[in-house]
Every structure is written in C-alpha cells, then in structure tokens.
Amino acid sequence: MLAFAIRRLFEAAIVMVTVALIAFTLFRFVGDPVNQMVGQDTSLEDRLRLREELGLNDPIPVQFARFLTSAAQFDFGISYQMKQPVTAIIRDRFPATLELALTAALFAVALGIPMGVYTGIHRDSWLSKIFLTVSLIGVSLPTFLIGILLIYVFAVWLGVLPSFGRGEVVRVGFWSTGLLTVSGLKALILPAVTLGLFQMTLVTRLVRSEMLEVLRTDYIKFARARGLPERTINFGHALKNTLVPVITVIGLQLGAIIAFAIITETVFQWPGMGLMFIQAVQNADIPVMSAYLMLVAFLFVFINFVVDLIYVRVDPRIRIFGRSG
Amino acid sequence: MKIKTLVVTGALAFALAATPAAAKTFRYAFQGDLNALDPYTLNESFTLGALGNVMEGLTKRDKDLKIIPGLAERWEIVDPLKWRFYLRKGVKFHNGEDFTADDVVFSTERMGSPGSQIKTRAPADMKAVKVDDYTVDFVLSSPNPILNAEWDTWYMFSKKWAEANGATQAQAASATSLNPFALKANGTGPFTIVSHEPGVKTVFKPFPGWWGKPEHNLDEVIFQTIKSDATRVAALLSGDIDMMDPVPVQDIDRVKSSPNVTVMIGPEIRTIFLNMDSMRDELLYSSVKGKNPFKDARVRKAFYQAIDIEAIHNKVMRGMSVNSALMISPLLYARAAEFKRHPYDVAAAKKLLADAGYAGGFEVTMDCPNDRYVNDEGICQAVAQMLSRIDIKVKLNAMPKAKYFQKAGPTDKYDSSFNLLGWTPGSLDSWNVVENIIGCRDANGKGGTFNFGGYCNPRITELNKLILVEADTKKRDELIAEAFRINHEEAGVIPLHQQSLIWGVSKKVEMVQRADNQILFYWVKMQ
C-alpha cells in the first residue's frame, strides 16, 4: 500500500513538472505582456527596460528554472495586471469558484439521480421521454448559450434573478462566501444551473443505464419472486448497486467543474479563478496563467491520486496487481 | 441543530440584505478592469477616468475637452521657459490634509520616478520650484507651448500621505514587491474610494470636504467589470446596472428598443488607420521579391483609393464611425475641414498600380488585431476584399491584441508588412500624432515608435521639431497642416475613420459623454 502510494506520488510530481514545462513553452506564443502594462506614450527605452526587468529576454529554460524554484516555495510572483501577489489573488478567487462548483455538482446529483432512476424504471413513460430530451439539450447546447438564455429569461424578462456577479459576500476568515446572503444565494442559481447542466445529464444517463443493467440481473428477479415491494427493490437493491460507478464519475467530474468553470464564469462575470484566467490570457499575464495551470494540474493529480487510493482499498485485484507490478 | 443553523443563517441573510432606502446609487460597468489605484502606473483612459473622480490635476478638462482650472486657479507663462501656477486655496485631501505647493513639487518628482508610466506628461528635465505655499514655477530647458495639455490626468499626490504609506515612488510595473499604495487612494477629488476589489467591484462615495460645488446628486457609485458583451447588455436591460460601456455595435437596436434604457453615441477621438511597411528594402510577407512596392507613393495611394470607406462606415461599422481624411480627430485640429479624403476610385487605383509597375497586382499579408478596436477584424476583412478589386491579394492574419502588438510593434521589430492600428493622442494635440504616427523611426523603433510601417519623410521630421516649440497658434497650425498634407499626398499612412463611443445608459440617468471616453460620474444626475 505504501509503496503504491509513493509510486503514485512520484508519478504525480512528474505530471506537474510536465504541465509546467508545456505551459512555459506555450507562453512564448501568448504575446507581449509589456504592451498591456504600459501606456501608449511609454518610450521605447522604458518598454525594453521593462522586458529586461521582467526577465522576458532570458532563454526559456532559465525562465522555467526560475519559475520552478519559486513555485516550489509557493511564490508565483506578482500579477502584471493586478499588481498583487498571485497567491493572494488565487486565495481571493478560489472560494467563488469552489462554491459555484460544489453547488453545481450538488444540483447535478440532486436532480440527476432521481431522473436517472425514474427513467430507468419507467422506460417508456412520457415523463421519461421529457427528461431524456431535456438532458439531451443539456449536452448539446454550448454553455455560453445556455447561460445567456437563462440570463435573458430570468434576469431581463422575468426580472427575478441578477444577471451577473456574486451578490453581497460575507467574509469568514479569509473565505468570502456568498452563501450567507439573499443576494448571494440568488446570484448563485443561474451560474450553478448553467455549470451543472452538463453534469446532470451525465449523471441521469449514467444512472439510467446502470439501473437498466441492474434491473435485468438475477438477484432483482429473485427479489421480485420473493414478493418484495417495488420500492424496496428499486431503491434498496437496485440503486445501491448502481452508485459505485456514479460516485467515481462525480468525483472525477468535480475536478473538471472547478477547472473548466471558465466559460460559465465569463458569461456571469463570476469573480472566480476561471474569469481570472481568461483575463490573464488576454493580457498575457504570465504569472497568473502559470499559477492557474499549476493549480488545475494539481487538482486533477490530487483527485486522481485519492481515487486510486480508494480503488486500492475497495478492489483487492488492483492491490495484488500493484504488488506484482 | 439543523433548523437552528438555518434560522441563524436566514436572520444573518436578512440583516445583510437590508440596504439604505432611497439612496441614489449609480452602478456602472465597463468591459475592462480597474486594477491598481496608483494613477501613475497605467496610462490608460478608463483607469485615468475612474480615478479622475477621486484625484485631480492642476488643470481639468471641461465637457468639451477644453482646458480649465483644476487645483490651480490660474497660470501664466512668465517667459517661454517658465510657467507659473497659482494654486487653489482651501483644498483638502480625503484624509484631511491641506493641498499645498509641496505636494505639487512632490508629485512632479513622483511623475518622473522610474516606475512611472506618465513620464511624458512633462519634459524629463522640467523642474518644479516652490515660490510660496500656493505658487509653483515650472522651469523648462526649451519652450513648450502645450506643456499643460495632459496635466488634467496628472493627478496630485499628498506628500505626507505618500511618505507615510511608502508610496513615494510609482509602483514599478515589474516590481517583485508590492507598493502598498497600489490598492489605496487619497486624492482631492469629489469622490472617495470606500472599497476596491480589483477586477470585481469598486465602491465610491462623495467626499463632503470637496472644494467645488457638486454637479451630481449621487450618494454612492459602484463600478463592476462585466467582460462578456452579451452579459453587459443583459445587465443593463435588466436594470442591474445604470450605465455601461461599450455597447456592441450589433446590440444598439436592441438596447434602443427597450423602454428603460437608451444609447448615447458620440464621436471618439481615436483614429483608425492602415500602415504599410515602406522602410524595408524587401517586404517580409509579400509575393514581390527584391524590392518593396510600398516605397512607391503611387502604390500606397492606389491602396488608399481602392478603399470604399463609405462601405466600411455603413456595413462594418453600421454607421458608428466618422470617415477621416486626417490622422487626428477633427475635434482636435482647427483646420481639419481643409482636408478631404482621396476619392474611392477603383479605376484610378488600378492606373496608379500599373504606373508603378504592378499592373497584375501582388500578394501581401495583413496583420490585424481582433480584440482591440470596434470591429477591427471586420474592417480588415473589408479592406482585404476591396483590395482584391485592384488585384491585390491580401492574406489576413488576425490575432489577439497581446500577440498583435508584439508582432507588428517594436518588440518583434515591426515584423509585419501591412497592418491596422488605432491611436488617440494623449495630449489631444496634433504634435503627438506627427511625432508618434507619421514621424520617422529607425528599425528598432526609435522616433515614431507607433509608426508601424516606418513611413518616413525628412520634411515631417523638420516640421516636428518646429511644431514642438512654436508658441504662436496660427503659425503652429500652419506647420501642422504642412505635415498632414505631406502624409495625405504621399499616403504614407492611410487614415480610415474615428470610431464612435457607444454607451448604454438607463433613462433615469443624465450624464456627459466626453470624446476621450472617460466616464466621469461627477457629472451624473439620477432621478
């Protein structure tokens, strides 16, 4: 078990360094940050001096080594645009993204599982068809379109929800939360639905196919033969056995929700990390971009690592394989 | 337990949601952020405009951009090398300190500090000399008739406050440590900053101790960034904000058709134009080898005359532009009316090309930003299409601004043969254009740094020097006219238009749209 964990940690470190290297190679192509930092009247000498001071004229390997050294000490530098330490910006922005992602995941699960169960049991009912059609829309419409549609219906037309932003936030220690105010909760609804819609579809369809699978198995047939009530069979026996793959997928998807909230955050001007990243890309704000990419890589590596460990505990076959390999 | 938590949360939520009744709050949104609050670190019109509500310069500009007294009541030119400014008495900074000559001397030094991005507000060797507490002399080494042209955005700092807050130097853009001032402000202006979250939200409140008579009726101002065009429009339509900038050209009709909001449209002073590389001996991106067709004025003029500017105005800009024969807005140059565009004439353009020896046309690559100016990429596509009528095949290379300015600008040594650029003269004066846009430069960009095509006529360089020191307005305008006429005749740089300012404004709001696109809420009245 320990050897397995150590090997995984080692692999994780390699992944992180590789991500950093690829990111750094890409920064050559994002453009010139200096032009976004200075005014149009800034003299050429000052521009060139700034490039030199930022170390942009150094060879990429030198810049990369410098980045790795300071990143290892959790120092990602100061944002070119915001003039704040990148770690402070991420600390400010992370709560917004996490609250949005968790709410979206909750929404996806709370609606997706019942819908999946229902459509699994009542395969041909009209309600199932409606559920499946709606969930099809969820996967086929692009996120920004869903976001804009929701804004126009609920903010412009009905006027019941705010069109953008996070509402009033309350600070609890370093954590700024929108969950404690009415405006904060109202502001959360549309972005969470937009972000969670795709995941909800995924959960619905996954639960449905698992249910269909399980309902065909012998032990369900025996349960029916014993005359157990439908309710007990469906929820007590069938659903329970479908949940293992569902939990795995949701866990992995959570990383994706956090990392790829970029579009939703842009549409709703949600002050999270995704929005920060988009702004950084437009302005070639390299310290912010690199820190964000490292953080996302870390999230994925971490979640995968945890999932792997859980697998090892749950499934003895992996443990044995791990030992022999 | 659960219920108890819920009740507490609910009560807290109600307490926090309560807002003061009937307070007049003006909420506005812009596509970009308000980042550092040090107005010496970013020379950009939105930031300077927002901070112009909080801090003030010795001069101000009125609703028509005329220079008017600000923190200086009046000034005089004692001799061509010495300007005397008489400061307004009784002016207080937001922290209660008096504004005096010491602050002006300090602000002069701070303006010239290494990290400052507003060094060009004054000649580098200008000295500020305190005469008494309310009089300051500015001593120059050569005459400068437009010395105070940009002083409306050179905001005065409190010396004591800056020293107490470690803000005596402008935050260097490349700093590895943070100037504590970057997120704080202390000015003399009509508003103070209550809270500031960069990229999210900034709250302003009126300053009761302001020296002037307020022309607004606001109790609070909230600025928020809304990056996405569609969301910004929706936020305005839903009443979540009272004003926003800019309205995307394609959404103007939708905004207009709403009962609660309207659009304010006015000319902006930014000119959009085309640069052709007339400096290199061979173009980097063209089918012509061994020579540079853009060195021939006839080829440049053929490009000029092949452009159907009316079509760009109607189709691409949907009427939201003013066609221009000049490299500067007619609002900023008294004799602008004398200049007329070369007419759109395909036959004449073809003849010019044939005379220059390019009867069959040639191929050239055009670099174009796609997120910098209003419909910039659309303009480039239209130009490419129009040039195909005179057998010029344009390969369009559109890219984000960060990439574009690196490639076409000095960083990559003007790695471009043909491109589109926009320019607002910071001083609102023609000399800036003559210097930066049509003035000669070397291959590295010394001289007219933003002359991306490297167009060069030695006479313009001579005129440039004369314009800089000529104090007589009439003579000066004549020199400027000559420089502009040379560029016009030789089509060194091809002007296209001035784009329009398009603001979306709630009908509850009355405000002033100034052509420099500064959003000044000290002129906002709300119902």
Side-chain angles (χ1 to χ4, degrees):
Chain A
M1 180 73 188
L2 188 68
F4 180 83
I6 289 170
R7 208 183 62 199
R8 280 293 155 144
L9 270 176
F10 182 67
E11 285 170 9
I14 292 177
V15 169
M16 297 288 290
V17 173
T18 313
V19 168
L21 185 64
I22 293 172
F24 248 80
T25 321
L26 286 177
F27 292 156
R28 285 182 84 103
F29 303 102
V30 291
D32 181 14
V34 170
N35 192 67
Q36 318 299 318
M37 297 166 76
V38 300
Q40 62 175 16
D41 293 327
T42 303
S43 70
L44 191 63
E45 292 79 24
D46 281 356
R47 284 165 194 264
L48 295 178
R49 207 190 53 219
L50 187 55
R51 267 193 84 77
E52 189 64 44
E53 284 171 8
L54 292 172
L56 294 167
N57 292 334
D58 298 338
I60 292 291
V62 174
Q63 293 189 37
F64 183 56
R66 192 164 50 215
F67 171 74
L68 276 190
T69 327
S70 41
Q73 304 158 40
F74 290 102
D75 173 16
F76 291 93
I78 289 189
S79 158
Y80 293 165
Q81 288 293 314
M82 287 177 259
K83 319 277 184 210
Q84 283 191 87
V86 174
T87 40
I89 300 170
I90 288 183
R91 194 191 59 216
D92 285 351
R93 297 295 188 96
F94 187 71
T97 297
L98 195 69
E99 282 183 4
L100 175 61
L102 288 179
T103 313
L106 195 71
F107 159 79
V109 171
L111 267 140
I113 291 182
M115 273 164 68
V117 171
Y118 185 87
T119 50
I121 299 169
H122 308 279
R123 247 188 302 174
D124 298 318
S125 83
W126 57 270
L127 195 58
S128 291
K129 283 181 182 136
I130 291 178
F131 283 161
L132 288 175
T133 316
V134 169
S135 69
L136 199 65
I137 295 173
V139 277
S140 50
L141 278 185
T143 312
F144 73 88
L145 200 61
I146 295 173
I148 291 295
L149 278 174
L150 289 177
I151 291 175
Y152 268 90
V153 173
F154 290 98
V156 178
W157 186 38
L158 298 174
V160 289
L161 293 172
S163 50
F164 74 100
R166 210 181 160 201
E168 291 294 321
V169 291
V170 179
R171 264 187 185 277
V172 183
F174 79 95
W175 192 273
S176 70
T177 178
L179 300 176
L180 297 178
T181 64
V182 173
S183 68
L185 289 172
K186 274 170 110 178
L188 187 57
I189 297 173
L190 293 184
V193 169
T194 309
L195 184 59
L197 204 57
F198 180 84
Q199 318 297 335
M200 184 196 83
T201 308
L202 195 72
V203 173
T204 304
R205 300 204 155 226
L206 192 68
V207 171
R208 175 174 179 271
S209 63
E210 290 289 330
M211 281 296 278
L212 291 176
E213 189 90 355
V214 172
L215 286 174
R216 276 202 298 271
T217 53
D218 288 343
Y219 76 90
I220 298 290
K221 282 181 193 153
F222 281 120
R224 286 229 169 82
R226 272 181 63 198
L228 291 180
E230 277 296 300
R231 206 186 145 75
T232 317
I233 297 170
N234 289 337
F235 291 93
H237 296 278
L239 179 63
K240 219 175 181 178
N241 280 293
T242 63
L243 283 184
V244 178
V246 172
I247 289 168
T248 315
V249 168
I250 291 170
L252 289 178
Q253 285 292 316
L254 188 62
I257 295 183
I258 294 174
F260 304 123
I262 293 175
I263 295 170
T264 308
E265 290 189 0
T266 310
V267 170
F268 288 94
Q269 192 64 33
W270 188 263
M273 294 191 303
L275 190 64
M276 172 196 77
F277 179 66
I278 284 285
Q279 286 164 347
V281 170
Q282 277 169 351
N283 292 315
D285 195 340
I286 292 171
V288 174
M289 279 193 285
S290 47
Y292 177 81
L293 291 174
M294 293 309 289
L295 184 68
V296 167
F298 174 76
L299 275 175
F300 272 92
V301 165
F302 178 74
I303 291 172
N304 271 303
F305 179 64
V306 171
V307 168
D308 280 348
L309 287 185
I310 293 173
Y311 271 179
V312 175
R313 282 225 75 79
V314 169
D315 194 336
R317 281 170 298 180
I318 295 176
R319 202 157 45 199
I320 293 160
F321 179 72
R323 217 171 264 155
S324 65
Chain B
M1 181 61 201
K2 223 177 217 167
I3 290 171
K4 205 171 155 192
T5 323
L6 215 66
V7 171
V8 172
T9 317
L12 195 60
F14 268 105
L16 290 161
T19 45
K24 283 200 169 63
T25 301
F26 174 65
R27 294 154 304 171
Y28 76 110
F30 182 64
Q31 63 181 356
D33 296 329
L34 182 59
N35 286 323
L37 295 181
D38 183 343
Y40 292 15
T41 55
L42 186 63
N43 190 9
E44 178 248 350
S45 57
F46 174 73
T47 303
L48 290 174
L51 292 173
N53 295 292
V54 178
M55 304 182 78
E56 293 169 304
L58 293 176
T59 67
K60 287 191 153 194
R61 284 194 186 254
D62 70 1
K63 293 163 189 174
D64 300 315
L65 290 173
K66 265 215 317 286
I67 297 175
I68 54 168
L71 292 183
E73 274 177 331
R74 63 197 169 87
W75 52 89
E76 64 194 12
I77 304 174
V78 181
D79 64 65
L81 297 178
K82 188 168 169 191
W83 291 50
R84 178 163 290 182
F85 278 72
Y86 299 93
L87 307 184
R88 200 177 287 280
K89 287 174 187 144
V91 173
K92 289 214 180 294
F93 283 100
H94 295 158
N95 66 349
E97 285 165 10
D98 287 321
F99 165 71
T100 65
D102 290 328
D103 300 314
V104 178
V105 174
F106 170 75
S107 298
T108 312
E109 284 160 15
R110 195 175 193 278
M111 168 175 65
S113 66
S116 166
Q117 292 297 335
I118 60 159
K119 284 181 205 164
T120 51
R121 292 289 185 278
D125 53 5
M126 181 185 85
K127 294 262 173 309
V129 181
K130 176 180 168 179
V131 178
D132 62 48
D133 269 358
Y134 293 98
T135 314
V136 180
D137 281 349
F138 292 100
V139 182
L140 308 171
S141 59
S142 61
N144 185 339
I146 54 161
L147 179 68
N148 62 349
E150 286 181 80
W151 286 13
D152 56 312
T153 50
W154 168 33
Y155 302 132
M156 290 296 131
F157 266 78
S158 156
K159 180 172 191 250
K160 278 190 209 138
W161 185 87
E163 281 167 354
N165 283 277
T168 48
Q169 301 269 309
Q171 168 82 40
S174 63
T176 47
S177 64
L178 199 67
N179 188 331
F181 177 72
L183 297 171
K184 283 196 233 165
N186 178 37
T188 58
F191 285 84
T192 60
I193 290 182
V194 182
S195 68
H196 176 56
E197 291 168 72
V200 183
K201 186 171 159 184
T202 308
V203 181
F204 304 83
K205 277 221 158 61
F207 172 48
W210 187 50
W211 54 269
K213 195 168 157 289
E215 287 182 65
H216 65 84
N217 64 350
L218 307 174
D219 299 306
E220 188 184 38
V221 176
I222 298 174
F223 162 71
Q224 280 159 304
T225 306
I226 305 182
K227 193 144 217 69
S228 150
D229 282 341
T231 310
R232 207 164 53 244
V233 173
L236 181 72
L237 294 179
S238 68
D240 286 342
I241 52 174
D242 304 305
M243 182 264 163
M244 64 89 156
D245 173 36
V247 179
V249 171
Q250 62 274 14
D251 285 326
I252 292 174
D253 290 338
R254 185 142 47 114
V255 174
K256 271 187 182 160
S257 67
S258 153
N260 304 321
V261 293
T262 186
V263 285
M264 279 176 91
I265 297 172
E268 199 190 0
I269 47 186
R270 174 181 285 132
T271 305
I272 305 291
F273 49 87
L274 302 174
N275 298 299
M276 297 147 288
D277 178 2
S278 54
M279 191 165 177
R280 288 187 175 84
D281 291 330
E282 181 184 298
L283 289 179
L284 295 174
Y285 303 101
S286 167
S287 59
V288 181
K289 296 293 164 204
K291 54 182 175 172
N292 179 350
F294 288 139
K295 276 191 185 292
D296 190 327
R298 287 172 297 189
V299 174
R300 300 196 299 256
K301 203 168 164 202
F303 271 51
Y304 193 140
Q305 292 205 275
I307 292 166
D308 182 358
I309 196 72
E310 277 302 316
I312 293 179
H313 172 73
N314 291 324
K315 300 277 158 48
V316 182
M317 301 301 289
R318 302 194 197 198
M320 295 301 140
S321 64
V322 178
N323 299 340
S324 182
L326 269 186
M327 296 304 298
I328 191 165
S329 160
L331 299 174
L332 302 180
Y333 180 50
R335 290 176 58 177
E338 291 171 23
F339 291 82
K340 294 276 173 292
R341 283 186 69 86
H342 297 298
Y344 163 58
D345 186 338
V346 175
K350 271 190 167 161
K351 187 169 176 315
L352 281 166
L353 264 192
D355 291 349
Y358 299 97
F362 57 89
E363 248 183 71
V364 65
T365 301
M366 179 181 198
D367 296 306
C368 187
N370 61 15
D371 59 353
R372 182 65 190 91
Y373 312 110
V374 177
N375 288 350
D376 38 16
E377 190 178 354
I379 299 169
C380 291
Q381 281 165 348
V383 165
Q385 220 261 319
M386 288 163 184
L387 287 172
S388 71
R389 290 178 206 154
I390 59 167
D391 303 317
I392 300 291
K393 279 190 210 66
V394 176
K395 264 209 313 225
L396 187 58
N397 187 13
M399 61 196 109
K401 59 177 189 255
K403 187 78 199 150
Y404 171 79
F405 283 100
Q406 171 170 11
K407 183 174 191 290
T411 314
D412 282 358
K413 306 225 188 302
Y414 307 95
D415 180 23
S416 174
S417 296
F418 183 34
N419 54 61
L420 175 137
L421 189 66
W423 186 261
T424 306
S427 56
L428 308 187
D429 178 83
S430 302
W431 178 76
N432 178 299
V433 175
V434 175
E435 160 82 3
N436 287 298
I437 304 297
I438 59 174
C440 301
R441 64 162 169 84
D442 68 9
N444 292 324
K446 189 137 189 60
T449 307
F450 278 83
N451 182 351
F452 279 13
Y455 161 70
C456 183
N457 183 312
R459 176 66 187 150
I460 291 183
T461 309
E462 278 170 39
L463 289 165
N464 182 357
K465 286 181 194 134
L466 297 173
I467 296 165
L468 183 59
V469 295
E470 179 56 66
D472 183 286
T473 313
K474 234 178 125 188
K475 273 191 209 150
R476 192 168 181 273
D477 278 353
E478 177 52 37
L479 294 170
I480 293 169
E482 192 186 338
F484 283 159
R485 208 174 297 122
I486 294 170
N487 178 60
H488 179 72
E489 289 307 325
E490 296 191 332
V493 180
I494 303 175
L496 295 176
H497 57 240
Q498 280 89 35
Q499 61 192 36
S500 296
L501 288 179
I502 314 165
W503 293 1
V505 184
S506 157
K507 285 190 178 156
K508 286 188 301 190
V509 171
E510 235 181 277
M511 65 188 300
V512 176
Q513 185 177 43
R514 218 165 65 173
D516 61 358
N517 204 15
Q518 288 192 6
I519 300 169
L520 296 167
F521 42 77
Y522 54 70
W523 285 324
V524 169
K525 279 213 161 81
M526 282 183 86
Q527 279 167 27

